Amino acid sequence: MAAVNCHFFKLSRHLKPSRPSFTCSASQPSQNNIKVIINGAAKEIGRAAVVAVTKARGMELAGAVDNHFLGEDIGLLCDMEEPSEIPVVSDLTMVLGSISQGKEVGVVIDFTDPSTVYENVKQATAFGMKSVVYVPRIKPETVSALSALCDKATMGCLVAPTLSIGSILLQQAVIMASFHYNNVELVESRPNAADLPSPEATQIANNISNLGQIYNREDSSTDVKARGQVIGEDGVRVHSMVLPGLPSSTQVYFSSPGDVYTVKHDIVDVRSLMPGLLLAIRKVVRLKNLVYGLEKFL
C-alpha cells in the first residue's frame, strides 16, 4: 500500500500573505527503509537527530513532532541545505496514521519528557510502531509500565538512559575496575545544576554497588559536605560541578596505595549521541519487548 506523505508549502513574499498550507499525496514508499518519526524534533537533540537520520543509510525521516515552530520545514529549521518538505506538527497521532498505511517498518524516537512518554509509546504501539526512548529522569515505574505494555503487545521498545557510546564504555570500564580497587570517587561537570547528581553518575554508582565491595572505608562515616554525596549502599562518593564553559564530563577515580586509575569521558557536542541513536534505531526493529540500555548491543 502506498504511504501518505504530507508536505509543507509557503507562499512567496510577493503574494498576499496567508497561512502555510499542507498537502497530502500518496506515493510509492522506498522499500527496506526504516521510517523514522522524531517526537521532540525542535529540541537541540531532535534537530541533530533529523540531520543524522536524513543522512543515514536505510532510514528515512517520516515525521517531525513538536509543540514549537509549528508549520516550519524541519529541514530548514535544522539548517540543512535543502528543505525536507516535512513540516513540524504537534499531532503525533496524525503522523502515525499516515505512516501506518504502508508496510514499512516504523520507529518513533521520543525526546519528550517523563510525563508524556508512556502515552507516546502507547500510541506508537497501537499503530504497530517500535519506539526508542531517550528521556532523562524517566521514572522506574514508568519503565515498568512500558515493559508491561510492550510485553502485552509483543512490540519492541528501547529505553536508553544514555545514547553516548563513550559513556557506556566508561561504565563498563568502571565495573571492571571496581573489583580491583577499594577507593573510588566520581567527579562530574554539567552545564546546569538541574537534578544533580546526574542520571549517569547515579547509574555508575549503582552499577558498582552490591558487588561485595565497600569503598572509601577510611572516612565512610564522615558527614563533611565537602566530601561529596554518597550514592548507593557501598560508599561511592559523587562530586558535581557546574561551571560555564566546561563540557559535560564524567571522571571516575580509583586508587590503592601507590596507584591511581582514572577513567574519563567528555561530551562536547550533542552530535556525539547520534551514533548511539542510529544503533538504537537499527536494533529496536528486531525487538518484541522492552530492552533497557544500549550496552546489550555493543
Side-chain angles (χ1 to χ4, degrees):
M1 183 181 295
V4 176
N5 295 322
C6 294
H7 300 286
F8 165 73
F9 299 93
K10 282 186 176 179
L11 293 177
S12 168
R13 69 179 64 182
H14 302 295
L15 300 179
K16 183 178 179 180
S18 64
R19 292 183 178 178
S21 62
F22 298 81
T23 64
C24 295
S25 60
S27 62
Q28 191 64 30
S30 301
Q31 298 299 322
N32 302 321
N33 275 359
I34 302 171
K35 303 285 187 177
V36 180
I37 299 170
I38 299 178
N39 194 1
K43 296 183 177 182
E44 181 184 14
I45 189 171
R47 298 186 195 192
V50 167
V51 176
V53 168
T54 301
K55 294 180 178 180
R57 179 177 299 179
M59 298 182 193
E60 181 179 342
L61 183 65
V65 181
D66 207 290
N67 291 322
H68 300 89
F69 301 100
L70 296 178
E72 296 290 330
D73 183 284
I74 191 61
L76 297 180
L77 192 61
C78 297
D79 296 323
M80 297 175 67
E81 293 182 359
E82 300 290 338
S84 65
E85 297 187 349
I86 296 176
V88 178
V89 299
S90 60
D91 191 342
L92 175 61
T93 304
M94 180 189 75
V95 182
L96 290 169
S98 68
I99 303 304
S100 66
Q101 297 182 42
K103 295 182 179 180
E104 302 80 26
V105 175
V107 175
V108 179
I109 312 301
D110 198 304
F111 293 134
T112 58
D113 60 76
S115 65
T116 61
V117 63
Y118 179 83
E119 287 302 321
N120 294 340
V121 174
K122 185 177 179 180
Q123 286 188 60
T125 299
F127 282 93
M129 310 279 262
K130 311 292 180 78
S131 296
V132 172
V133 175
Y134 177 65
V135 178
R137 300 295 173 184
I138 187 171
K139 296 180 179 179
E141 52 266 33
T142 302
V143 177
S144 297
L146 287 174
S147 181
L149 171 68
C150 294
D151 284 344
K152 184 177 181 179
T154 318
M155 184 61 63
C157 177
L158 199 160
V159 178
T162 180
L163 290 172
S164 168
I165 292 176
S167 178
I168 295 171
L169 294 176
L170 177 141
Q171 292 180 37
Q172 293 174 345
V174 167
I175 292 173
M176 293 178 62
S178 66
F179 292 100
H180 304 282
Y181 292 91
N182 296 323
N183 297 283
V184 57
E185 307 219 3
L186 191 152
V187 179
E188 64 171 351
S189 64
R190 295 294 183 268
N192 58 69
D195 299 321
L196 289 174
S198 70
E200 290 83 359
T202 302
Q203 184 175 3
I204 290 170
N206 289 333
N207 284 347
I208 61 176
S209 295
N210 301 313
L211 297 179
Q213 182 82 282
I214 301 298
Y215 306 102
N216 310 315
R217 289 177 181 269
E218 289 78 6
D219 66 345
S220 59
S221 62
T222 183
D223 57 358
V224 177
K225 293 182 178 180
R227 287 293 294 115
Q229 180 179 349
V230 175
I231 304 294
E233 301 176 0
D234 296 334
V236 180
R237 293 188 178 275
V238 176
H239 310 261
S240 300
M241 299 188 299
V242 180
L243 293 172
L246 280 182
S248 293
S249 177
T250 302
Q251 300 178 68
V252 184
Y253 294 88
F254 292 92
S255 75
S256 61
D259 180 22
V260 177
Y261 175 62
T262 306
V263 188
K264 180 181 179 182
H265 177 247
D266 296 340
I267 295 177
V268 297
D269 194 298
V270 71
R271 289 176 295 181
S272 67
L273 306 181
M274 295 304 104
L277 175 65
L278 298 181
L279 175 64
I281 294 170
R282 293 190 171 101
K283 295 301 182 180
V284 77
V285 297
R286 300 178 182 273
L287 298 180
K288 295 184 179 180
N289 57 0
L290 183 142
V291 170
Y292 187 83
L294 266 178
E295 56 269 21
K296 299 175 178 63
F297 304 112
L298 294 183

